[in-house]
């Protein structure tokens, strides 16, 4: 069993430990107060340096007398789950687990006469009891609990005997003379030691296993003293009886306290390990770790040292069991500011240098997000501007203006830091480098050029003016920021010049003619030219455009890198796949479930080969799996298989192609988004698998024979040899005049004869034998191409274009007219319409880059 939910809050509030009380002026300074009747006990403030002598009852409390240990006797608040312990009037809080109605000592930061409050809540968070007491100048230590407790009757034969005191005790006073074990009048030989942690727990370990079913007595005498020399308030005798069993393997671990604000430079955590019978185990090593050692370290014994403000988690692990604690370090006010570099040199005329301010509090803790202001002693020599992105001004850029020397000052609160900057006369520009050095664009396409300017020493010169120019504005133009726009077909040389030094980039602009356009589940589209070149546009969040870059989107066609010639191309949900003219399949984009088929789950922004050496005629990527048909008609699938969508009779996913079972010969297969696949055999029979169909191909009911099949997001459509369209799956895109779903093919109404049908995302489109495009289903983004209305029966696409093909995708549609021109309509949020904009269109718009 693993215990979770423990939390530690570390407050590094500056000066908290200094607000402690003064000396006690009680009439009886040598008389400790009696133990509280409430069951809640708090130690006197503990000296963190040298221990006081045993007679120093009226000692003065120094600024480091700041730790008080608070405990609750077992059985005090039965039904309690957590206890919130705090000094009344302060935000410092400790939360610790309540076990058997009490809790072991937890340190808090308090002084004499502070009021301590413990609020005990049940498992549902309801307050069960409130307890309170006042911190005394002197409080003798007491025993909070023992393990075993008094009169326990089944103590494990080899379990240690644990004694928990109300505060840390002196190790020199915990001996076999002060902690003894008796069987009758016979002393039992053993050893005594303090346990790791706060030092408030000790263990007596017998040299040999105890006798079964035998009475023993634990005796703890007043020879035990705390670290300041105060004797135990009273000795204790604990009778118990052994059972017959021994301790087992660790079964649970928890850390204490659960929540604490720490004022000071360290804080001690403790971990308790028990076996399945609840026996406390002291001889198993606990491994401590933190989520970020750069901000909070933890020693091998659980001692925390906060280094920087922030949120952290502390873990205690033993034998695969883990307990954790959330730690929040809150640093005090800024006490120092250090700049890096401490001095620097920058050229005049806009050259720059970066500075970083490191801010710490009085005890050296790093302020993670300091508020920093920056100044320059002479703005005519050098200016300074804060960069507030992500770190509240801890970074700044100094720009040279005129030769001279200035002091740069960073201020956080009342703390400051400085650096000196020398501004030298400006060095001349020695080189200009334009990137990229060449690019090919379709007409209306754009690309961003950049220019890096350096001096003779190779130093980058920022702020120098750059002039951009094109030698053929009829082909390509460039603006003042280096953004290139393709105007017409041809070549142009673009020049970046600074102070008479220049570099160039060669731009080639082309017009493309598509033979097919593919658009499916995602927010991107791709087209295949007559020469087999692949172009993609739209969203590129996963690299699905194949452009080899991480640009988030591109609203005009851009070539897929790699120079492959494809015979087939299909865009999916976040990925794209194509079949090269050789029959080899390639995919690119999202690959979280192995849908690229390259044996990995690593995404790729360039085409990667599908493994297995298969020769394909077509490949269909979905959102989480991909399927393809080989040139011999065998179907293979790869990727996620939670619903049996790979069709191999299992639900095991695969990052490489696996054969679809059944021996069917397919002409095409298509992947639905939600865990299904459908395919059409060469005999015209439709089969589906995955989801409700099962993990092997099952015949689509209805007995229809189809000539073509199109698989959408959650519905499928097919054409009979006579051109009649049928659809099945989720409504409202079935075309039967309703929004109902159907598990069997239903006829698309209207009596139209189609040559092409394409199922998309809640809409379907088709091309009649006469070349007219029709669409039906939802029309939220204009994907029907009819204007603003939606229709559950076929309606003609506006514009009067004659189409040869059409493809319905995710709330967008694309088609190619009989002249070979590609058009798209519908949702255009990521530039999926390819016309250079991100504006939706309810009527067809021409894809950029075409004649």
């Amino acid at each position: 069993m693993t215990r979770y939910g423990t939390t530690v809050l570390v407050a590094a509030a500056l000066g908290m430990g200094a607000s402690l009380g003064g000396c006690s002026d009680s009439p009886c300074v040598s008389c400790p107060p009696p133990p509280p009747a409430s069951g809640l006990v708090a130690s006197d403030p503990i000296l963190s340096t040298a221990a006081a002598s045993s007679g120093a009852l009226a000692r003065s409390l120094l600024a480091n007398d700041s730790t008080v240990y608070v405990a609750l006797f077992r059985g005090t608040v039965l039904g309690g789950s957590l206890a919130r312990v705090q000094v009344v009037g302060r935000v410092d809080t400790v939360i610790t687990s309540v076990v058997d109605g009490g809790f072991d000592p937890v340190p808090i930061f308090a002084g004499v006469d502070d009021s301590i409050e413990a609020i005990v809540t049940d498992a549902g968070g309801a307050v069960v009891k409130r307890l309170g007491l006042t911190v005394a100048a002197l409080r003798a230590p007491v025993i909070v609990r023992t393990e075993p407790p008094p009169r326990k009757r089944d103590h494990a034969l080899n379990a240690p005997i644990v004694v928990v005191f109300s505060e840390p005790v002196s190790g020199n006073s915990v001996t076999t003379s002060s902690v003894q074990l008796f069987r009758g009048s016979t002393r039992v030989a053993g050893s005594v030691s303090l346990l790791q942690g706060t030092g408030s727990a000790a263990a007596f370990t017998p040299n040999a296993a105890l006798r079964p079913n035998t009475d023993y007595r634990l005796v703890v005498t007043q020879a035990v003293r705390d670290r300041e020399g105060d004797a135990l308030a009273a000795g204790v005798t604990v009778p118990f009886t052994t059972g017959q069993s021994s301790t087992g393997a660790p079964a649970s671990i928890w850390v204490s306290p659960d929540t604490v604000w720490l004022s000071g430079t360290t804080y001690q955590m403790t971990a308790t390990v028990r076996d399945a019978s609840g026996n406390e185990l002291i001889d198993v090593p606990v491994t401590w770790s933190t989520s970020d050692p750069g901000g909070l370290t933890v020693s091998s014994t659980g001692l925390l040292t906060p280094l920087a403000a922030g949120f952290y988690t502390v873990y205690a692990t033993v034998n695969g069991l883990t307990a954790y604690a959330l730690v929040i370090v809150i640093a005090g006010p800024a006490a120092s500011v250090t700049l890096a570099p401490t001095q620097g040199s920058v050229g005049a005329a806009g050259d720059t240098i970066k500075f970083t301010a490191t801010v710490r509090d009085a005890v050296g803790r790093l302020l993670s997000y300091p508020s920093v202001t920056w100044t320059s002693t002479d703005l005519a020599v050098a200016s300074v501007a804060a960069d507030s992105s992500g770190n509240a001004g801890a970074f700044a850029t100094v720009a040279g203006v005129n030769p001279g020397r200035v002091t740069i000052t960073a201020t956080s609160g009342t703390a400051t830091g400085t650096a000196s900057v020398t501004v030298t006369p400006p060095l001349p520009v020695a080189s200009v480098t334009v990137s990229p050095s060449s690019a090919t664009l379709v007409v209306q396409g754009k690309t961003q050029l950049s220019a890096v300017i350096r001096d003779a020493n190779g130093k980058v010169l920022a702020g120098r003016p750059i002039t951009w120019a094109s030698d053929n504005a009829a082909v390509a133009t460039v603006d003042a920021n280096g953004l290139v726009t393709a105007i017409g077909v041809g070549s142009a040389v673009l020049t970046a010049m600074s102070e008479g030094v220049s570099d160039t980039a060669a731009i080639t602009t082309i017009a493309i003619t598509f033979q097919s356009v593919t658009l499916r589940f995602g927010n991107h589209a791709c087209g295949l030219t007559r020469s087999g070149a692949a172009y993609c546009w739209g969203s590129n969040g996963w690299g699905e455009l194949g452009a080899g870059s991480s640009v988030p989107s591109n609203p005009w066609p851009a070539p897929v890198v790699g120079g492959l010639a494809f015979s087939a191309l299909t865009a999916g949900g976040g990925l794209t796949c194509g079949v090269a003219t050789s029959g080899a399949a390639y995919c690119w984009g999202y690959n979280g479930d192995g849908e690229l088929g390259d044996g990995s789950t690593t995404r790729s922004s360039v085409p990667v080969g599908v493994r297995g050496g298969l020769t394909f005629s077509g490949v269909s990527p979905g959102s989480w799996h991909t399927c393809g048909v080989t040139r011999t008609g065998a179907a293979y699938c790869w990727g996620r298989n939670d619903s049996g969508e790979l069709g191999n009779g299992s639900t095991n996913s695969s990052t490489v192609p696996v054969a679809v079972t059944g021996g069917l010969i397919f002409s095409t297969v298509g992947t639905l988004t939600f865990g299904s696949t459908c395919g059409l055999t060469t005999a015209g029979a439709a089969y589906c698998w995955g989801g409700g169909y099962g993990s092997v191909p099952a015949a689509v009911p209805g007995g229809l024979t189809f000539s073509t099949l199109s698989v959408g997001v959650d519905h499928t459509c097919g054409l009979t040899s006579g051109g009649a369209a049928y659809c099945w799956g989720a409504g409202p895109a079935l075309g039967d005049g309703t929004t109902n779903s159907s598990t069997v093919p239903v006829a698309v109404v209207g009596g139209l004869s189609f040559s092409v049908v394409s199922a998309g995302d809640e809409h379907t489109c088709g091309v009649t034998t006469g070349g007219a495009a029709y669409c039906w289903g939802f029309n939220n983004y204009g994907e029907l191409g009819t204007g603003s209305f939606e229709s559950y029966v076929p309606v003609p696409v506006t514009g009067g274009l004659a189409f040869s093909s059409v493809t319905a995708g995710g709330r967008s549609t694309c088609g190619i007219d009989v002249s070979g021109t590609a058009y798209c309509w519908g949702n255009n949020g990521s530039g999926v319409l390819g016309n250079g904009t991100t504006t939706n269109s309810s009527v067809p718009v021409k894809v950029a880059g075409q004649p």
Side-chain angles (χ1 to χ4, degrees):
M1 175 177 91
T2 302
R3 182 162 184 260
Y4 297 102
T6 308
T7 306
V8 177
L9 298 172
V10 182
L14 184 64
M16 187 180 296
S19 57
L20 307 169
C23 300
S24 172
D25 56 1
S26 169
C28 182
V29 297
S30 62
C31 301
S38 66
L40 186 70
V41 62
S43 72
D44 50 15
I46 304 299
L47 286 167
S48 60
T49 54
S53 66
S54 60
L57 301 179
R59 56 186 173 270
S60 172
L61 296 177
L62 304 176
N64 51 12
D65 290 329
S66 58
T67 304
V68 170
Y69 289 80
V70 181
L72 185 67
F73 290 101
R74 290 295 195 267
T76 301
V77 188
L78 296 176
S81 177
L82 292 175
R84 181 182 296 272
V85 184
Q86 61 190 22
V87 175
V88 176
R90 295 225 296 252
V91 296
D92 306 42
T93 299
V94 169
I95 297 179
T96 188
S97 295
V98 175
V99 179
D100 296 332
F103 57 82
D104 288 351
V106 292
I108 67 171
F109 303 96
V112 171
D113 295 331
D114 280 340
S115 295
I116 304 294
E117 182 181 44
I119 303 171
V120 181
T121 58
D122 61 18
V127 175
V128 177
K129 194 168 186 178
R130 293 177 181 266
L131 303 162
L133 52 75
T134 301
V135 178
L138 175 64
R139 171 78 70 182
V142 297
I143 294 176
V144 175
R145 71 170 176 93
T146 61
E147 185 65 43
R151 290 173 293 280
K152 185 178 182 181
R153 305 198 59 82
D154 58 351
H155 184 67
L157 302 181
N158 64 335
I161 291 91
V162 177
V163 183
V164 178
F165 302 95
S166 59
E167 62 178 275
V169 295
S170 169
N172 293 332
S173 70
V174 179
T175 67
T176 52
S177 296
S178 59
V179 181
Q180 303 173 352
L181 183 64
F182 291 89
R183 178 174 51 83
S185 60
T186 303
R187 285 185 59 178
V188 177
S191 60
V192 181
S193 61
L194 289 179
L195 300 183
Q196 283 188 355
T198 62
S200 61
F204 180 94
T205 304
N207 290 345
L210 302 181
R211 294 183 180 183
N213 303 318
T214 302
D215 293 334
Y216 288 88
R217 288 180 297 118
L218 170 69
V219 177
V220 183
T221 73
Q222 285 187 282
V224 175
R225 296 180 178 273
D226 66 18
R227 291 177 179 173
E228 295 169 306
D230 300 323
L232 197 65
V236 171
T237 297
V238 180
F240 65 91
T241 303
T242 57
Q244 295 184 343
S245 64
S246 298
T247 58
S252 68
I253 181 173
W254 67 85
V255 296
S256 175
D258 291 21
T259 304
V260 63
W261 290 52
L262 174 61
S263 175
T265 56
T266 60
Y267 190 85
Q268 182 63 57
M269 301 291 294
T270 59
T272 302
V273 182
R274 296 185 183 273
D275 65 11
S277 299
N279 297 306
E280 190 166 338
L281 307 178
I282 66 170
D283 56 351
V284 289
V286 175
T287 301
W288 293 89
S289 61
T290 75
S291 58
D292 183 4
L296 179 73
T297 64
V298 60
S299 73
S300 61
T301 61
L303 184 66
L304 301 179
T305 302
L307 304 178
F311 291 73
Y312 310 94
T313 305
V314 175
Y315 303 93
T317 303
V318 61
N319 285 25
L321 305 170
T322 300
Y324 63 86
L326 174 65
V327 179
I328 303 175
V329 179
I330 304 175
S336 68
V337 179
T338 304
L339 296 191
T342 57
Q343 59 183 2
S345 176
V346 65
D351 293 341
T352 62
I353 184 173
K354 297 281 188 179
F355 283 89
T356 301
T358 301
V359 183
R360 300 183 183 274
D361 66 10
V363 293
R365 293 187 189 91
L366 181 69
L367 276 67
S368 299
Y369 298 95
S371 177
V372 181
T373 57
W374 298 80
T375 59
S376 167
T377 54
D378 191 344
L379 293 176
V381 174
S383 64
V384 60
D387 176 7
S388 60
S389 60
N391 214 14
F395 305 102
T397 300
V398 174
V401 179
N402 291 297
R405 178 181 287 248
V406 296
T407 298
I408 301 299
T409 301
T411 302
S412 183
T414 59
T416 61
T418 61
S420 83
V421 175
T422 301
V423 181
T424 61
L427 293 175
V429 173
S431 69
V432 176
T433 304
V434 174
S435 180
S437 60
S438 63
T440 299
L441 300 176
V442 299
V443 175
Q444 296 179 263
K446 299 178 186 291
T447 192
Q448 180 66 56
L449 300 180
S450 62
V452 176
I453 301 173
R454 291 182 171 85
D455 62 20
N457 298 321
K459 179 182 178 181
V460 175
L461 302 177
R464 299 295 174 93
I466 301 173
T467 301
W468 293 89
S470 170
D471 72 341
N472 192 347
V475 171
T477 61
V478 59
D479 68 10
N481 299 311
L483 181 64
V484 179
T485 301
I487 304 300
V489 176
S491 299
V493 175
L494 305 186
T495 302
M497 179 175 293
S498 182
E499 299 178 10
V501 181
S502 64
D503 191 27
T504 61
I507 301 297
T508 301
T509 62
I510 62 174
I512 52 178
T513 302
F514 293 110
Q515 62 169 317
S516 65
V517 175
T518 172
L519 173 71
R520 297 198 70 206
F521 313 142
N523 290 318
H524 77 290
C526 294
L528 194 62
T529 69
R530 292 174 179 173
S531 64
Y535 286 77
C536 295
W537 57 93
S539 175
N540 193 40
W542 306 103
E544 57 264 46
L545 300 189
S549 70
S550 58
V551 60
S553 62
N554 190 31
W556 48 80
V560 173
V561 300
L564 292 166
F566 293 97
S567 59
L569 194 67
T570 306
L575 71 157
T576 309
C577 292
V579 177
T581 53
S582 64
Y586 292 84
C587 295
W588 54 94
Y590 181 75
N591 196 29
D593 296 281
E595 46 269 77
L596 296 190
D598 66 339
S600 78
T601 55
T602 303
R603 74 178 71 168
S604 177
S605 61
V606 299
V608 294
V610 175
R611 290 179 55 182
L614 298 167
T615 302
F616 289 93
S617 60
V619 176
S620 173
S623 289
W624 297 287
H625 77 293
T626 303
C627 293
V629 175
T630 68
R631 289 179 175 176
T632 60
Y636 285 81
C637 295
W638 54 94
R640 184 184 294 186
N641 196 29
D642 295 349
S643 302
E645 54 263 52
L646 300 192
N648 66 338
S650 77
T651 56
N652 298 323
S653 300
S654 177
T655 60
V656 297
V658 294
V660 175
T661 62
L664 297 168
I665 306 301
F666 289 95
S667 60
T668 184
V669 293
T671 53
L672 285 81
T673 294
F674 300 110
S676 298
T677 309
C678 291
L680 185 65
T681 69
T682 53
Y687 285 81
C688 294
W689 54 93
Y693 292 100
S695 60
V696 298
V700 173
L704 292 168
T705 300
F706 298 102
S707 59
T708 63
L709 195 71
S710 174
V711 181
V713 169
D714 52 9
H715 74 288
T716 303
C717 296
L719 293 181
T720 67
S721 58
Y726 288 80
C727 297
W728 62 96
L734 304 188
D736 63 345
T738 76
T739 60
N740 299 329
S741 299
S742 177
T743 59
V744 298
V746 294
V748 174
V749 302
L752 296 168
S753 179
F754 291 97
S755 60
V756 174
V757 66
S758 176
D761 183 3
E762 297 184 325
H763 78 292
T764 307
C765 293
V767 177
T768 67
T769 53
Y774 284 79
C775 294
W776 55 94
F778 283 162
N779 194 34
N780 298 330
Y781 297 92
E783 56 263 45
L784 300 190
T786 60
S788 60
F789 65 92
E790 63 186 34
S791 176
Y792 308 129
V793 298
V795 288
V797 173
T798 302
L801 294 167
F803 286 92
S804 59
S805 66
V806 69
T807 176
R811 308 304 171 89
S812 305
T813 308
C814 292
I816 294 181
D817 70 4
V818 292
S819 70
T821 304
Y823 293 84
C824 294
W825 56 94
N827 180 35
N828 196 28
S830 300
V832 68
L833 301 190
N835 66 337
T837 76
T838 56
T839 303
N840 297 345
S841 177
S842 61
V843 297
V845 293
K846 185 178 178 180
V847 175
Q850 302 176 98

